[in-house]
């Protein structure tokens, strides 16, 4: 994917230049993505960091937003601990397990778990996605200074330093040292809606499908204490062809659960 870095305003230029150097991408200066034709996508640095397709008819940007929009709506009206993801990680009563999201992506599930009361660590290997996550966490922390509800969530949500391989990182952890490990490897999307095509095609092109996802299973199960949870499309095969101890199915997806020790009642 052709990708460069731009600034939306002069004040953002120093950060944009530094980010371009860090990611080893071309810096195009202060520019409007609608007027760019030399690359297909840009990382726009301004009030927010966002991945934006270039050209006049480009769809909207991809960014990490933990403060407003979908994240805010789900935090307020998503169903609380009755959500399947809460049940999948073993949340019940006053038990809120510490979770490592080893394939954090845009951090949506990690934020949900943190908003429900879990301490969540996010691990991400793609450098561009990690930069988007880092920007989203910083804006959450800024908003948290004036919002007590967000402050408690921000205190529970942490982005770990970027790694080249989540499987290698997990392999280096002591056995049974992480209460719950959550995996949501990228799977080729079968969704045909125009919304997915317009809003997420850039992200899918950037990340691709995780061809090495099966390698996550053995080190994850070895490193977890309570369980490893794998989020999958409803009809997708088991990760690493390993049958789960139990599964929670929804309309379009499911959570495969690999248990080691029972969660407290």
């Amino acid at each position: 994917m052709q990708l460069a870095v731009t600034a939306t305003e002069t004040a953002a230029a120093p950060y944009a230049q530094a980010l371009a150097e860090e990611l080893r991408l071309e810096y195009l200066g202060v520019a409007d993505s609608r007027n760019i034709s030399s690359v297909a996508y840009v990382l726009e640095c301004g009030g927010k960091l966002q991945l934006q397709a270039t050209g006049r008819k480009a769809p909207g940007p991809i960014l990490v937003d933990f403060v407003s929009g979908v994240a805010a709506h789900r935090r307020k009206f998503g169903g609380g601990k009755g959500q399947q993801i809460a049940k999948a990680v073993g949340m019940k009563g006053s038990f809120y397990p510490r979770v490592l999201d080893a394939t954090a992506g845009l951090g949506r599930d990690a934020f949900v778990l943190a908003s429900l009361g879990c301490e969540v660590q996010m691990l991400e290997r793609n450098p561009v996605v990690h930069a988007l996550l880092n920007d989203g966490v910083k804006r959450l922390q800024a908003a948290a200074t004036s919002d007590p509800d967000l402050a408690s969530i921000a205190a529970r949500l942490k982005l770990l330093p970027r790694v080249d391989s989540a499987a290698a990182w997990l392999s280096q952890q002591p056995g049974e040292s992480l209460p719950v490990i959550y995996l949501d490897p990228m799977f080729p999307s079968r969704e045909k809606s125009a919304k997915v095509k317009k809003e997420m095609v850039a992200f899918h092109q950037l990340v691709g499908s995780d061809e090495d996802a099966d390698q996550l299973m053995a080190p994850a199960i070895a490193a977890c204490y309570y369980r490893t949870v794998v989020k999958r499309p409803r009809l997708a095969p088991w990760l690493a062809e390993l049958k789960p101890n139990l599964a929670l199915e929804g309309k379009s997806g499911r959570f495969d659960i690999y248990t080691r020790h029972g969660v407290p009642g």
Side-chain angles (χ1 to χ4, degrees), residues 7 12 27 45 60 68 82 112 114 119 145 177 181 187 194 197 212 226 234 237-238 251:
Y27 174 57
C45 301
S68 60
V112 169
E119 178 185 336
T145 60
S177 62
I181 296 175
F187 191 81
K197 286 185 179 181
D212 57 351
Y226 291 113
R234 188 173 63 86
W238 299 320
K251 292 182 179 180

Side-chain angles (χ1 to χ4, degrees), residues 70-153:
V70 175
H73 185 272
R74 186 167 179 181
R75 174 167 62 91
K76 296 174 182 177
F77 308 109
K81 290 194 291 185
Q83 297 176 71
Q84 278 199 325
I85 190 172
K87 297 175 182 177
V89 301
M91 192 184 306
K92 57 182 178 178
S94 59
F95 179 65
Y96 299 88
R98 181 162 54 90
V99 179
L100 171 77
D101 185 345
T103 54
L106 295 174
R108 291 170 179 169
D109 286 344
F111 179 78
V112 169
L113 291 172
S115 69
L116 293 176
C118 291
E119 178 185 336
V120 184
Q121 295 179 315
M122 298 183 290
L123 196 67
E124 175 55 46
R125 67 178 180 176
N126 184 284
V128 174
V129 178
H130 191 275
L132 292 170
L133 271 176
N134 188 52
D135 180 71
V137 169
K138 287 182 177 179
R139 284 186 283 104
L140 171 63
Q141 292 170 342
T145 60
S146 59
D147 187 327
D149 289 338
L150 287 178
S152 62
I153 298 172

Side-chain angles (χ1 to χ4, degrees), residues 8-21:
T8 59
E9 55 190 9
T10 303
Y15 170 66
Q17 286 179 292
L19 183 64
E21 291 179 8

Side-chain angles (χ1 to χ4, degrees), residues 20-77:
E21 291 179 8
E22 178 185 344
L23 299 178
R24 298 181 180 179
L25 296 172
E26 182 182 4
Y27 174 57
L28 300 181
V30 179
D32 187 331
S33 62
R34 293 172 297 180
N35 299 328
I36 295 174
S37 59
S38 58
V39 293
Y41 299 94
V42 292
L43 272 175
E44 289 185 328
C45 301
K48 302 173 182 178
L49 180 65
Q50 50 193 33
L51 180 66
Q52 174 64 57
T54 58
R56 290 285 176 181
K57 297 182 179 180
I62 300 296
L63 72 160
V64 174
D65 185 359
F66 295 134
V67 178
S68 60
V70 175
H73 185 272
R74 186 167 179 181
R75 174 167 62 91
K76 296 174 182 177
F77 308 109

